[in-house]
Amino acid sequence: MGCGDFHCSRNALIALNTLYILVSIILISVAATAKYAAVVTSTSVIGGIIACGVFLLIVALIGLVGAVKHHQVLLFFYMVILVLLFLIEMFVSIACLVYSESKREDVITYGWEHQASNITKNEVQIQYNCCSLNGTNSPSDPSCSEVSSNIEHC
């Protein structure tokens, strides 16, 4: 029995998926702790992190059960999910590299003007100690009264 047979692959998959389960539990617990301790106030960020942790946990359980029971259908779906995740990561990485600084500023400006609520704008202004997005205090921007005296542009 060398490392070319199923037993070696099975043990490697069991170890890898056990590690994935640990990482997903850590991811979920850190996000929940950060929300509970009010370190991060954005519910969508916390929800996204917890959703990623739960998704990783489900994928790891599929891979673990498939490896332990030698269930070919589960291993096939596990492989398909991993390939899809790889492709998504690759496309997101390419998209991040393609966006120039001006494109990022355009996206941020659009989000500030059309998507962000006044609560979100106030939180950004307080956190970054600034008033409005580019120092242009438009009527749609919330009041800058809560921001301290040394105001800068966001």
Side-chain angles (χ1 to χ4, degrees), residues 20-30 53 56-57:
Y20 282 163
I21 289 172
L22 289 174
V23 168
S24 68
I25 290 171
I26 290 170
L27 196 63
I28 293 168
S29 62
V30 166
L56 179 62
L57 182 65

Side-chain angles (χ1 to χ4, degrees), residues 71-128:
H71 197 278
Q72 291 183 352
V73 174
L74 282 178
L75 288 174
F76 173 76
F77 283 116
Y78 177 71
M79 181 185 67
V80 168
I81 290 170
L82 289 182
V83 167
L84 289 174
L85 284 175
F86 172 76
L87 291 174
I88 290 170
E89 285 179 13
M90 185 178 68
F91 290 135
V92 167
S93 299
I94 290 171
C96 288
L97 290 173
V98 168
Y99 273 119
S100 64
E101 185 68 29
S102 64
K103 291 281 187 191
R104 279 183 244 156
E105 287 177 8
D106 291 344
V107 169
I108 291 170
T109 303
Y110 179 80
W112 182 270
E113 292 173 355
H114 300 290
Q115 301 294 323
S117 67
N118 282 341
I119 296 170
T120 304
K121 290 178 183 180
N122 270 334
E123 287 177 359
V124 169
Q125 290 176 159
I126 291 169
Q127 183 175 356
Y128 293 108

Side-chain angles (χ1 to χ4, degrees), residues 1-12:
M1 265 190 349
C3 198
D5 59 356
F6 180 72
H7 294 290
C8 184
S9 300
R10 177 180 179 248
N11 291 337

